[in-house]
Amino acid sequence: MLRESLDCLAQAIERLSSSYKIFNTSFSWTLDLNVSLYVEKSTESKYSTDEAEGEKIVEAPMIILDELEVCEQRAKTILETGATATLPGMLDGREKHKLARLKKIAAIARRSLHRRDFKTVYTEIESPLPPLYTVIRDKRVVLRGKPDIVLLVETPSKQLAIVNIEYSTYTTAPRTVIYRQAMYAHTLYKVYGFLVVPALLVDASNRRDAYILVKKNERTLETKLRTMLTRLSHLKESTSARPARSKEACHTCPLPIRNTCPHYGA
Protein backbone atom coordinates (compact mmCIF):
# COMPACT_ATOMS: atom_id res chain seq x y z
CA MET A 1 0.00 0.00 0.00
CA LEU A 2 2.86 2.36 0.79
CA ARG A 3 4.47 1.37 -2.49
CA GLU A 4 1.22 2.11 -4.35
CA SER A 5 1.06 5.61 -2.85
CA LEU A 6 4.64 6.33 -3.91
CA ASP A 7 3.97 4.91 -7.38
CA CYS A 8 1.04 7.31 -7.73
CA LEU A 9 3.26 10.14 -6.52
CA ALA A 10 5.92 9.29 -9.10
CA GLN A 11 3.27 9.12 -11.83
CA ALA A 12 1.94 12.56 -10.88
CA ILE A 13 5.44 14.07 -10.92
CA GLU A 14 6.08 12.49 -14.32
CA ARG A 15 2.90 14.02 -15.76
CA LEU A 16 3.67 17.45 -14.33
CA SER A 17 7.29 17.41 -15.53
CA SER A 18 6.22 16.51 -19.07
CA SER A 19 5.01 20.10 -19.49
CA TYR A 20 8.01 22.40 -19.09
CA LYS A 21 5.81 25.50 -18.70
CA ILE A 22 3.52 24.02 -16.02
CA PHE A 23 6.42 22.43 -14.16
CA ASN A 24 8.38 25.69 -13.96
CA THR A 25 5.36 27.79 -13.03
CA SER A 26 4.09 25.43 -10.34
CA PHE A 27 7.37 24.66 -8.60
CA SER A 28 9.47 27.84 -8.65
CA TRP A 29 9.20 28.33 -4.91
CA THR A 30 10.12 31.92 -4.12
CA LEU A 31 7.81 33.42 -1.51
CA ASP A 32 7.33 37.15 -1.12
CA LEU A 33 7.66 37.09 2.67
CA ASN A 34 10.78 39.13 3.35
CA VAL A 35 12.18 35.81 4.56
CA SER A 36 15.90 35.33 4.03
CA LEU A 37 18.62 32.74 4.55
CA TYR A 38 21.58 33.68 6.67
CA VAL A 39 24.66 31.57 6.22
CA GLU A 40 27.52 34.05 6.21
CA LYS A 41 29.63 34.84 9.26
CA SER A 42 29.28 38.56 8.54
CA THR A 43 25.51 38.20 8.89
CA GLU A 44 25.85 36.19 12.08
CA SER A 45 28.05 38.87 13.59
CA LYS A 46 25.36 41.42 12.70
CA TYR A 47 22.96 39.45 14.91
CA SER A 48 25.07 40.13 17.97
CA THR A 49 25.01 43.84 17.21
CA ASP A 50 21.26 43.88 16.60
CA GLU A 51 20.57 41.99 19.81
CA ALA A 52 22.76 44.38 21.73
CA GLU A 53 20.73 47.25 20.28
CA GLY A 54 17.53 45.76 21.67
CA GLU A 55 16.35 43.42 18.92
CA LYS A 56 14.89 40.23 20.36
CA ILE A 57 15.29 36.84 18.68
CA VAL A 58 12.48 34.31 18.55
CA GLU A 59 14.01 30.97 17.54
CA ALA A 60 12.14 27.71 16.93
CA PRO A 61 12.15 24.50 14.86
CA MET A 62 10.27 24.82 11.57
CA ILE A 63 7.77 22.19 12.72
CA ILE A 64 6.33 24.80 15.08
CA LEU A 65 4.29 25.99 12.08
CA ASP A 66 2.45 22.65 12.25
CA GLU A 67 1.90 23.05 15.98
CA LEU A 68 0.59 26.57 15.52
CA GLU A 69 -2.20 25.21 13.33
CA VAL A 70 -3.06 22.51 15.87
CA CYS A 71 -2.66 24.29 19.21
CA GLU A 72 -1.33 27.75 20.01
CA GLN A 73 -0.60 26.76 23.59
CA ARG A 74 1.62 23.91 22.41
CA ALA A 75 3.47 26.26 20.07
CA LYS A 76 3.95 28.78 22.88
CA THR A 77 5.37 26.12 25.21
CA ILE A 78 7.83 24.99 22.53
CA LEU A 79 8.92 28.60 22.05
CA GLU A 80 9.55 28.97 25.77
CA THR A 81 11.10 25.60 26.60
CA GLY A 82 12.23 24.10 23.31
CA ALA A 83 11.31 20.68 21.95
CA THR A 84 10.42 18.31 24.77
CA ALA A 85 11.91 14.87 25.24
CA THR A 86 10.25 11.83 26.76
CA LEU A 87 11.77 9.34 29.19
CA PRO A 88 15.53 8.68 28.76
CA GLY A 89 16.16 6.24 25.93
CA MET A 90 12.66 6.46 24.45
CA LEU A 91 13.39 9.44 22.21
CA ASP A 92 16.52 7.81 20.75
CA GLY A 93 14.61 4.62 19.96
CA ARG A 94 11.78 6.51 18.29
CA GLU A 95 14.18 8.61 16.24
CA LYS A 96 16.05 5.51 15.06
CA HIS A 97 12.75 3.91 14.05
CA LYS A 98 11.71 7.03 12.15
CA LEU A 99 15.09 7.26 10.40
CA ALA A 100 14.83 3.63 9.29
CA ARG A 101 11.31 4.29 8.04
CA LEU A 102 12.42 7.35 6.06
CA LYS A 103 15.29 5.42 4.47
CA LYS A 104 12.84 2.73 3.36
CA ILE A 105 10.44 5.32 1.91
CA ALA A 106 13.29 7.06 0.07
CA ALA A 107 14.39 3.74 -1.46
CA ILE A 108 10.85 2.94 -2.66
CA ALA A 109 10.43 6.49 -4.01
CA ARG A 110 13.68 6.24 -5.97
CA ARG A 111 12.61 2.93 -7.53
CA SER A 112 9.19 4.36 -8.41
CA LEU A 113 10.80 7.36 -10.09
CA HIS A 114 13.40 5.23 -11.88
CA ARG A 115 10.64 3.16 -13.46
CA ARG A 116 9.46 6.40 -15.04
CA ASP A 117 12.94 7.26 -16.38
CA PHE A 118 13.94 9.65 -13.60
CA LYS A 119 17.54 9.46 -12.40
CA THR A 120 18.43 10.10 -8.76
CA VAL A 121 21.54 12.26 -8.35
CA TYR A 122 21.63 12.17 -4.56
CA THR A 123 19.48 11.63 -1.47
CA GLU A 124 19.39 13.37 1.90
CA ILE A 125 17.48 12.21 5.00
CA GLU A 126 16.71 14.75 7.74
CA SER A 127 19.57 17.00 6.69
CA PRO A 128 19.43 20.47 8.33
CA LEU A 129 18.73 23.45 6.08
CA PRO A 130 20.20 26.92 6.55
CA PRO A 131 17.97 28.87 8.98
CA LEU A 132 15.31 31.24 7.72
CA TYR A 133 14.81 34.58 9.37
CA THR A 134 12.43 37.50 9.09
CA VAL A 135 12.00 40.66 11.15
CA ILE A 136 8.60 41.26 12.76
CA ARG A 137 8.54 44.68 14.41
CA ASP A 138 11.38 44.53 16.96
CA LYS A 139 11.76 40.74 16.84
CA ARG A 140 13.83 38.54 14.55
CA VAL A 141 12.04 35.24 13.97
CA VAL A 142 14.49 32.44 13.18
CA LEU A 143 13.22 29.04 12.01
CA ARG A 144 15.37 25.94 11.60
CA GLY A 145 14.19 22.92 9.64
CA LYS A 146 15.13 19.38 8.63
CA PRO A 147 13.10 18.04 5.69
CA ASP A 148 12.36 14.32 5.98
CA ILE A 149 13.52 13.27 2.49
CA VAL A 150 15.19 15.33 -0.23
CA LEU A 151 15.88 13.74 -3.63
CA LEU A 152 17.77 15.55 -6.36
CA VAL A 153 16.53 13.98 -9.59
CA GLU A 154 16.95 14.37 -13.31
CA THR A 155 13.60 14.28 -15.12
CA PRO A 156 13.06 12.38 -18.38
CA SER A 157 13.40 15.74 -20.16
CA LYS A 158 16.88 16.18 -18.57
CA GLN A 159 15.76 18.87 -16.14
CA LEU A 160 17.13 18.85 -12.59
CA ALA A 161 14.57 19.08 -9.80
CA ILE A 162 14.31 18.45 -6.07
CA VAL A 163 11.59 16.23 -4.63
CA ASN A 164 10.91 16.87 -0.93
CA ILE A 165 8.84 14.11 0.69
CA GLU A 166 7.44 14.75 4.17
CA TYR A 167 6.12 11.72 6.06
CA SER A 168 3.24 11.79 8.53
CA THR A 169 1.02 9.29 10.34
CA TYR A 170 -1.76 11.85 10.93
CA THR A 171 -4.73 12.16 8.57
CA THR A 172 -4.88 15.89 9.38
CA ALA A 173 -1.36 16.42 7.96
CA PRO A 174 -2.51 17.89 4.59
CA ARG A 175 -4.02 20.82 6.51
CA THR A 176 -1.04 21.47 8.77
CA VAL A 177 2.17 20.41 7.02
CA ILE A 178 1.45 22.60 3.97
CA TYR A 179 2.90 25.75 5.55
CA ARG A 180 6.13 24.13 6.76
CA GLN A 181 6.55 22.49 3.36
CA ALA A 182 6.11 25.81 1.59
CA MET A 183 8.95 27.20 3.72
CA TYR A 184 11.10 24.13 3.02
CA ALA A 185 10.44 24.52 -0.70
CA HIS A 186 11.36 28.22 -0.57
CA THR A 187 14.61 27.39 1.25
CA LEU A 188 15.57 24.47 -1.00
CA TYR A 189 14.90 26.57 -4.11
CA LYS A 190 17.07 29.40 -2.76
CA VAL A 191 19.90 27.08 -1.70
CA TYR A 192 20.10 24.79 -4.74
CA GLY A 193 18.47 26.81 -7.51
CA PHE A 194 16.44 23.87 -8.84
CA LEU A 195 12.69 23.46 -9.04
CA VAL A 196 11.25 21.95 -5.86
CA VAL A 197 8.34 19.49 -5.82
CA PRO A 198 6.96 19.34 -2.23
CA ALA A 199 5.20 16.02 -1.60
CA LEU A 200 3.44 14.69 1.49
CA LEU A 201 3.00 11.00 2.30
CA VAL A 202 0.28 10.19 4.85
CA ASP A 203 0.71 6.73 6.34
CA ALA A 204 -2.18 6.40 8.82
CA SER A 205 -3.66 3.20 10.21
CA ASN A 206 -6.75 3.41 8.00
CA ARG A 207 -5.41 5.18 4.90
CA ARG A 208 -2.31 5.89 2.85
CA ASP A 209 -2.30 8.91 0.57
CA ALA A 210 0.22 11.04 -1.29
CA TYR A 211 -0.16 14.74 -2.04
CA ILE A 212 1.77 17.32 -4.05
CA LEU A 213 1.81 20.97 -3.00
CA VAL A 214 1.32 22.90 -6.25
CA LYS A 215 2.00 26.62 -6.14
CA LYS A 216 -1.47 28.08 -6.55
CA ASN A 217 -3.03 31.12 -4.88
CA GLU A 218 0.39 32.46 -3.94
CA ARG A 219 -1.01 35.60 -2.32
CA THR A 220 -3.32 33.60 -0.05
CA LEU A 221 -0.51 31.27 1.03
CA GLU A 222 1.94 34.10 1.62
CA THR A 223 -0.61 36.10 3.62
CA LYS A 224 -1.28 33.07 5.82
CA LEU A 225 2.43 32.44 6.38
CA ARG A 226 3.05 36.09 7.22
CA THR A 227 0.21 35.97 9.74
CA MET A 228 1.67 32.82 11.32
CA LEU A 229 5.14 34.35 11.64
CA THR A 230 3.66 37.46 13.22
CA ARG A 231 1.67 35.34 15.67
CA LEU A 232 4.84 33.44 16.64
CA SER A 233 6.60 36.69 17.45
CA HIS A 234 3.70 37.68 19.74
CA LEU A 235 3.39 34.31 21.48
CA LYS A 236 6.93 34.50 22.86
CA GLU A 237 5.96 37.27 25.27
CA SER A 238 2.19 36.86 25.39
CA THR A 239 0.72 35.77 28.71
CA SER A 240 -1.94 33.63 27.04
CA ALA A 241 -2.45 31.45 23.99
CA ARG A 242 -5.52 29.90 22.44
CA PRO A 243 -6.20 26.23 23.31
CA ALA A 244 -6.22 23.36 20.82
CA ARG A 245 -8.87 23.53 18.13
CA SER A 246 -10.10 20.09 19.11
CA LYS A 247 -9.78 17.92 22.22
CA GLU A 248 -8.35 15.19 19.99
CA ALA A 249 -5.16 17.22 19.72
CA CYS A 250 -4.70 16.97 23.50
CA HIS A 251 -4.38 13.18 23.27
CA THR A 252 -1.34 13.48 20.98
CA CYS A 253 0.30 16.26 23.00
CA PRO A 254 3.66 15.34 24.59
CA LEU A 255 3.23 14.64 28.30
CA PRO A 256 5.64 17.37 29.51
CA ILE A 257 3.61 19.99 27.61
CA ARG A 258 0.25 18.55 28.67
CA ASN A 259 1.27 18.61 32.34
CA THR A 260 1.88 22.36 32.21
CA CYS A 261 -1.00 23.28 29.92
CA PRO A 262 -3.52 25.66 31.54
CA HIS A 263 -6.25 24.47 29.14
CA TYR A 264 -5.88 20.69 29.62
CA GLY A 265 -8.81 19.27 31.53
CA ALA A 266 -10.51 22.65 31.70
Side-chain angles (χ1 to χ4, degrees):
M1 288 181 283
L2 185 60
R3 193 182 310 276
E4 290 175 0
S5 296
L6 288 166
D7 281 343
C8 289
L9 179 63
Q11 184 179 17
I13 295 173
E14 178 191 26
R15 289 177 178 174
L16 288 165
S17 66
S18 63
S19 171
Y20 183 83
K21 182 177 181 180
I22 293 176
F23 201 57
N24 279 265
T25 302
S26 300
F27 302 110
S28 299
W29 281 93
T30 301
L31 300 171
D32 184 20
L33 286 171
N34 192 29
V35 175
S36 305
L37 303 175
Y38 68 91
V39 292
E40 298 179 5
K41 290 184 178 180
S42 60
T43 311
E44 291 177 356
S45 64
K46 180 178 182 296
Y47 273 154
S48 301
T49 303
D50 286 342
E51 195 170 9
E53 292 175 354
E55 186 181 58
K56 299 176 182 178
I57 296 179
V58 178
E59 190 166 357
M62 189 75 75
I63 201 171
I64 201 169
L65 296 178
D66 299 29
E67 307 292 7
L68 194 60
E69 280 296 281
V70 174
C71 176
E72 268 198 3
Q73 183 61 47
R74 192 188 300 180
K76 177 176 171 59
T77 303
I78 291 173
L79 278 175
E80 294 172 343
T81 64
T84 58
T86 55
L87 296 175
M90 289 182 64
L91 186 63
D92 289 342
R94 189 167 63 239
E95 288 300 315
K96 288 179 181 178
H97 175 75
K98 180 186 176 184
L99 185 60
R101 187 66 167 165
L102 293 180
K103 288 180 178 178
K104 178 180 179 181
I105 292 169
I108 297 173
R110 286 194 299 265
R111 288 195 293 268
S112 296
L113 287 166
H114 289 178
R115 284 195 291 271
R116 295 180 183 343
D117 296 326
F118 284 77
K119 295 179 181 178
T120 303
V121 179
Y122 73 81
T123 304
E124 289 185 344
I125 307 289
E126 289 196 321
S127 180
L129 291 176
L132 284 174
Y133 80 85
T134 187
V135 176
I136 306 292
R137 294 182 179 179
D138 65 334
K139 299 182 184 69
R140 190 181 296 269
V141 179
V142 182
L143 299 178
R144 301 178 183 274
K146 295 192 300 181
D148 286 343
I149 299 169
V150 173
L151 305 174
L152 176 60
V153 301
E154 182 185 281
T155 70
S157 58
K158 307 302 180 184
Q159 185 175 13
L160 288 174
I162 288 176
V163 179
N164 165 220
I165 303 175
E166 292 300 303
Y167 173 72
S168 177
T169 57
Y170 297 104
T171 56
T172 55
R175 299 197 301 272
T176 57
V177 178
I178 175 177
Y179 304 108
R180 171 164 53 98
Q181 271 214 287
M183 297 293 266
Y184 282 163
H186 169 82
T187 309
L188 288 164
Y189 186 71
K190 286 289 189 179
V191 171
Y192 296 105
F194 302 125
L195 301 178
V196 181
V197 182
L200 170 65
L201 182 65
V202 176
D203 184 17
S205 58
N206 59 341
R207 57 185 286 194
R208 286 173 176 80
D209 297 306
Y211 303 84
I212 294 179
L213 177 58
V214 178
K215 196 176 185 188
K216 295 180 179 178
N217 301 320
E218 289 180 48
R219 192 176 299 275
T220 301
L221 178 61
E222 290 166 357
T223 299
K224 173 66 175 179
L225 281 166
R226 194 176 290 110
T227 299
M228 295 175 79
L229 293 172
T230 301
R231 186 58 184 157
L232 279 179
S233 72
H234 292 162
L235 280 178
K236 181 71 173 182
E237 297 179 355
S238 174
T239 57
S240 62
R242 291 188 287 266
R245 296 187 177 185
S246 69
K247 288 296 182 182
E248 184 181 356
C250 296
H251 302 313
T252 62
C253 191
L255 190 59
I257 295 179
R258 192 191 310 169
N259 286 343
T260 61
C261 179
H263 305 292
Y264 184 70

